[in-house]
């Protein structure tokens, strides 16, 4: 047993080749141990065990600096840098995040969770090193799936004119999350098939030196390759052919399903936890496929995360040419949708909220200035969504709802979501964002509008007095409960409003509330700053109306407990009711 | 005279080659006529006269759809699509914008002003065409300077797997705004020098077909080239070598200075309008150069707009290796700065506010989650800045000030700007944005802090009662004037506060105002939604304090008159005072 005794890279360097090979086997066992219990990124980690061993064998981390793209493939790196316990000891799994994390170790330079950033970050480390008169290698590790992202391509292009040490490891496992997309993958194939000798070479065309390594899971070959480029005096691409999911047959053969896994049974590969029932992804897929069958101009676009937004393989097959995966290239996806809309198509873009951060400019410049009727559906906008600090969706309202011309719809239930989506696809006037509720698929309690042509009008659900609760999106049900609590406390019927839109204001309804209400409460599933509630507070600023905004304090949160975070922010029916009553009693 | 009689592309098609050549001469005269009077983009338009003639000769716009990248090179296109009057008739210059604009003509498909978008938009037009069962060519025209942008590279990569008509014209004039940067330009050079035959080819490596045209200012050759690719059934790159500024010797030899021009005298090339005095760009350049001389770890980064942020050629030469232009690649710039900061360097990024829109994700993910001490200076954040709808900076506070950990500083005068910049470069705790005031270089009236370590604390400039005016950034002077007006009207001393930060709140000071103030007024140079004032309104929402937020209504504005827009938004001392008094009298 070697792994348990590895306290850092210096212990890796002491091992013989044979011992390193045993170590690789132990590391895969440790990966199984953790992943069968907790789930996580499977394929990316199983593929880079040997590469990571060779890197730590050859380089001197942390003086030499590794930047792992997306960093979902850093489990082996963590094991070799003093954190093996996070994979060996069930009681300590929670101490280790699923991404690189400087607070855990000096061997992690950045917190990283988005793709396509490693080359740019590494060019900076190299430039900082040179400017500060330091030494050491800088090594970026980027997967082939991440290469299509604009930031990565900008980084490669810039690296192509640098003139000091920078090593860019292209970990080519022939796969993104789903299948890879984009013309550059033809070139990667050409390079693999020619053992790196093809005269046409994307990396050389970007001005970079280039070395190819076919045996990307052979420790000896990898050590030789890293030794060849160590201390190089200019940027070089080391193109390494690895096998995603190596060491588990199911994962080797079904790479999309095993990119990320739930806790599972090793013998059968079956998940040991399952979610039953409907989800907004599959509801979206159904509705869109139905539309596609009737209307060839309906086109669904995603940027490498089809599974999150209703397009698993069987739906992609059904959609045929009406389905487009641009690969990891959100800017391309959004701008392309604007073009589709301007030439007779009905585009729908679907992705996870955290990745929409890459497209502020495309929404503003390419879509909204041009009033292109692009529909976007976003998963994981909610506090109940992904909870790694790099993957939060709670900034989405703040970021997008203030872009002029953009209609941001926040449905409160299943029926409303589906009608909004249908309406948005068919209308030809507005760019529209629709967030999928994060609190499960809940049925409508109040009637759902037949059309949303009259944008930025709220729905009066319960007409009361004294207090009005404007409960946006998937906080609507919390608003309903808070209304009951407040009613109990004050003995009056309280107004409940479904604002339906995170953008804009229904000034007519807001104005009407002044007559017989003293307090307006807003609830929104996101940070308060720049959001819906602050707009309402500003609207009433000069009036006698008291406004209480409920939402999340503006901060980065990592692997939080949603219930606890909500409570800290007074986002429970009881705390809301208490705060409202405190105001009423003033 | 042919130009005056051209009402649309059909009139171009009627001319002989010799007549087209005369037309080119007339078009250059028309460009001179407009540009000597109004200024504008010089080099880009003089370079593409022949190419534009050939495009309209061969293709059938608007059925065939042209998408011009940045679209600052569309003056010849406008002349040939019924808008020659905008170049021939002084009285009608103002009717025609400097960018492509659908409201002017069906031959313009999109409003465009940012670079690197054309290929993505064109892929969308092509996909829309196919989905809707339409026909026609789609032609993107992209300059070599725009190729380094992530959106363009994502677009090329995606185009590389399309299988229907798309023509990407790469207008290669060997120049960005300043010199070109990035490794891919080595490949463009190789391609030009080999007459397009070099075996290593960026475009082919992206999976694209490729045709080279050396004589990019020869109408006959261009017509032949366009005829060759017209109606092609797959994407193709037509790489055309043109001469930027062709037809004016000064512009041919000094391509950076003549990228854009002020109104000028044709004989001498001297501008007929000049701005005297200091500007924030040159003040920044001076301070940064001074720091660089003393500290080799100080690094200034720009993304192709050095002139806007204090780095004209002479300063770049002085800065040497401490100056980096990444080319048009803002994502790379910001992420690289994070890397520089994490490895001993002191990075400063400078650009125009409108281009920072491309980097929301890089600020959030690469910089702010990682708490990297990156300083950013932004020009043209103001209502008094660039006023084309595609280049507005008035959304910057709304976009950036709500990203956690990001300190957004809004200086009110010269001394304060310089101390903030100095402080930010030296501190090691925070990512910092500093906006350059847009109301000219004004001296400090109140003492300037020696340090800003205590972030998010406001400056009490005048302690009064009843009304407090929080006047942010370059609206501070308007706030001062408004205070005087209010004082005249109410006969009491009014409080004036310099908030100094568009991010965060000084809750201590805000709380203290509750004691003897009834109205808080906020002023900010930007849209109200998602901004500083709404945060203040929310803070006071549950209290008796009345809050009046002054700023711009959230909308897209095009070529507006700043004074008029300010007045419409009650942003004059008199209107502010009136609104405040109306509240006090309630």
């Amino acid at each position: 047993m070697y792994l348990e005794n590895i306290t850092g890279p210096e212990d890796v360097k002491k091992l013989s080749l044979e011992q390193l090979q045993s170590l690789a086997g132990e590391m895969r066992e440790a990966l199984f141990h953790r992943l069968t219990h907790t789930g996580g990124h499977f394929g990316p980690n199983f593929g880079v065990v040997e590469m990571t061993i060779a890197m730590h064998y050859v380089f001197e981390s942390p003086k030499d600096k590794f930047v792992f793209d997306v960093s979902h493939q850093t489990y082996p790196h963590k094991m070799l840098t003093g954190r093996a316990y996070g994979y060996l000891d069930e009681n300590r799994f929670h101490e280790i995040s699923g991404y690189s994390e400087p607070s855990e170790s000096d061997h992690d330079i950045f917190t990283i969770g988005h793709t396509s950033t490693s080359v740019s970050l590494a060019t900076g480390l190299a430039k900082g090193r040179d400017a500060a008169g330091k030494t050491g290698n800088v090594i970026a590790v980027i997967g082939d799936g991440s290469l299509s992202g604009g930031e990565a391509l900008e980084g490669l292009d810039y690296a192509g004119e640098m003139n000091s040490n920078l090593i860019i490891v292209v970990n080519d496992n022939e796969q993104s999350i789903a299948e890879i997309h984009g013309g550059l993958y033809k070139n990667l194939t050409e390079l693999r098939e020619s053992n790196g000798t093809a005269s046409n070479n994307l990396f050389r065309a970007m001005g970079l030196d280039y070395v190819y390594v076919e045996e990307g899971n052979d420790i000896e070959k990898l050590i030789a390759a890293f030794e060849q480029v160590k201390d190089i005096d200019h940027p070089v691409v080391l193109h390494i052919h690895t096998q995603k999911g190596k060491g588990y047959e199911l994962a080797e053969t079904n790479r999309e399903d095993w990119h990320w896994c739930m806790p599972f049974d090793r013998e059968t590969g079956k998940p040991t936890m399952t979610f039953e029932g409907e989800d907004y992804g599959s509801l979206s897929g159904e509705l869109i496929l139905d539309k596609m069958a009737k209307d060839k101009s309906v086109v669904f676009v995603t940027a490498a995360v089809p599974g999150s937004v209703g397009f698993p393989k069987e739906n992609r097959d059904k959609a045929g040419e009406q389905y487009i995966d641009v690969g990891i290239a959100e800017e391309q996806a959004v701008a392309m949708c604007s073009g589709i809309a301007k030439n007779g198509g009905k585009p729908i873009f679907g992705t996870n909220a955290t990745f929409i951060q890459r497209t502020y400019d495309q929404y503003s410049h390419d879509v909204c200035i041009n009033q292109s009727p692009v529909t976007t559906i976003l998963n994981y906008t909610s506090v109940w969504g992904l909870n790694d600090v790099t993957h939060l969706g709670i900034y989405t309202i703040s970021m997008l709802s203030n872009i002029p011309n953009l209609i941001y719809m926040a449905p409160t239930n299943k029926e409303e979501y589906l009608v909004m989506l249908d309406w948005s696809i068919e209308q030809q006037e507005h760019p529209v964002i629709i967030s999928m509720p994060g609190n499960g698929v809940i049925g409508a309690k109040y009637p759902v509008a037949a059309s949303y042509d009259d944008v930025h009008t709220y729905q009066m659900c319960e007409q009361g007095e004294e207090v009005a609760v404007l409960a946006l999106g998937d906080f609507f049900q919390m608003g309903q409960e808070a209304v009951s609590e407040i009613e109990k406390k004050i003995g009056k019927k309280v107004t409940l409003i479904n604002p339906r839109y995170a953008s804009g204001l229904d000034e007519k309804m807001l104005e009407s509330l002044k007559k017989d209400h003293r307090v307006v409460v807003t609830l929104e599933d996101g940070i308060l700053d720049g959001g819906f509630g602050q707009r309402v507070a500003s609207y009433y600023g000069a009036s006698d109306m008291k406004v209480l905004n409920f939402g999340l304090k503006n901060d980065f949160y990592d692997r939080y407990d949603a219930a606890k975070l909500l409570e800290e922010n007074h986002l429970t029916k009881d705390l809301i009711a208490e705060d409202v009553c405190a105001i009423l009693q003033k």
Side-chain angles (χ1 to χ4, degrees), chain A residues 323-400:
Chain A
Y323 168 82
I324 300 175
D325 182 350
V326 297
I328 294 175
E330 289 83 4
E331 300 174 69
Q332 163 64 18
V334 173
M336 180 170 63
C337 284
S338 181
I340 292 172
K342 288 289 181 195
N343 208 11
K346 296 176 179 170
I348 305 137
F349 175 47
T351 190
N352 295 345
T354 186
F355 303 133
I356 211 78
Q357 294 188 180
R358 311 209 143 182
T359 59
Y360 183 100
D361 189 50
Q362 287 68 39
Y363 276 103
S364 175
H365 178 272
D366 299 333
V367 174
C368 289
I369 288 179
N370 287 288
Q371 275 293 54
S372 292
V374 174
T375 299
T376 303
I377 55 174
L378 294 180
N379 203 348
Y380 305 124
T381 58
S382 166
V383 67
W384 293 295
L386 308 174
N387 75 355
D388 289 290
V389 66
T390 49
H391 284 69
L392 309 183
I394 57 175
Y395 314 104
T396 314
I397 293 175
S398 174
M399 180 182 81
L400 292 179

Side-chain angles (χ1 to χ4, degrees), chain A residues 76-98:
Chain A
H77 164 75
K78 293 194 179 198
M79 289 184 200
L80 301 181
T81 51
R83 289 169 279 178
Y85 58 82
Y87 304 84
L88 295 169
D89 182 351
E90 280 176 55
N91 299 315
R92 303 188 67 183
F93 287 165
H94 67 280
E95 294 177 31
I96 299 300
S97 83

Side-chain angles (χ1 to χ4, degrees), chain A residues 464-585:
Chain A
E465 60 181 315
E466 200 75 0
V467 178
V469 176
L470 279 64
L472 185 71
D474 57 17
F475 275 15
F476 182 77
Q477 286 77 14
M478 190 191 300
Q480 271 183 287
E481 291 173 7
V483 161
S484 300
E485 282 303 307
I486 300 165
E487 286 176 342
K488 277 188 224 161
K489 283 180 189 270
I490 68 172
K492 288 180 185 171
K493 185 164 165 59
V494 162
T495 296
L496 175 66
I497 291 170
N498 171 7
R500 304 197 290 205
Y501 303 88
S503 54
L505 288 179
D506 183 343
E507 299 196 358
K508 200 170 148 200
M509 190 175 290
L510 293 180
E511 199 57 28
S512 75
L513 295 178
K514 285 183 180 172
K515 197 159 58 83
D516 41 19
H517 292 77
R518 287 168 57 204
V519 178
V520 163
V521 174
T522 68
L523 302 183
E524 69 199 288
D525 187 355
I527 60 165
L528 281 170
D529 287 346
F532 162 72
Q534 295 192 341
R535 215 178 295 129
V536 174
S538 175
Y539 177 81
Y540 287 120
S543 77
D544 292 325
M545 187 75 83
K546 300 278 187 283
V547 178
L548 271 178
N549 296 139
F550 289 89
L552 300 171
K553 184 173 173 296
N554 193 10
D555 207 343
F556 289 119
Y557 302 98
D558 194 21
R559 289 169 288 155
Y560 57 83
D561 177 284
K564 206 171 140 216
L565 183 61
L566 289 170
E567 178 145 10
E568 282 166 8
N569 285 278
H570 284 211
L571 285 160
T572 71
K573 63 178 174 25
D574 297 316
L575 292 170
I576 293 166
E578 274 177 33
D579 289 354
V580 169
C581 291
I583 299 297
L584 288 173
Q585 283 153 16

Side-chain angles (χ1 to χ4, degrees), chain A residues 224-351:
Chain A
F226 287 125
E227 280 176 345
Q228 184 188 342
V229 297
K230 188 179 179 183
D231 299 327
I232 198 167
D233 66 354
H234 60 273
V236 62
V237 167
L238 195 63
H239 179 186
I240 297 180
H241 186 193
T242 63
Q243 181 167 17
K244 195 165 182 172
K246 186 175 173 71
Y248 192 53
E249 201 188 331
L250 287 166
E252 290 177 11
T253 49
N254 189 343
R255 293 178 296 186
E256 180 175 349
D257 284 352
W258 285 90
H259 173 76
W260 186 89
C261 67
M262 298 289 295
F264 68 100
D265 178 86
R266 185 168 169 179
E267 293 310 312
T268 63
K270 302 268 183 244
T272 51
M273 289 168 64
T274 49
F275 291 115
E276 292 294 329
E278 294 183 301
D279 66 81
Y280 279 100
S282 45
L283 287 170
S284 310
E286 268 170 49
L287 183 146
I288 294 166
L289 280 174
D290 188 50
K291 284 213 164 279
M292 282 175 167
K294 294 173 195 151
D295 183 349
K296 288 289 165 209
S297 74
V298 173
V299 178
F300 184 80
V301 178
T302 188
V305 289
S308 282
V309 284
F311 279 83
K313 182 99 178 48
E314 61 271 25
N315 285 0
R316 306 202 286 267
D317 291 343
K318 282 183 207 156
E321 292 279 311
Q322 288 168 273
Y323 168 82
I324 300 175
D325 182 350
V326 297
I328 294 175
E330 289 83 4
E331 300 174 69
Q332 163 64 18
V334 173
M336 180 170 63
C337 284
S338 181
I340 292 172
K342 288 289 181 195
N343 208 11
K346 296 176 179 170
I348 305 137
F349 175 47
T351 190

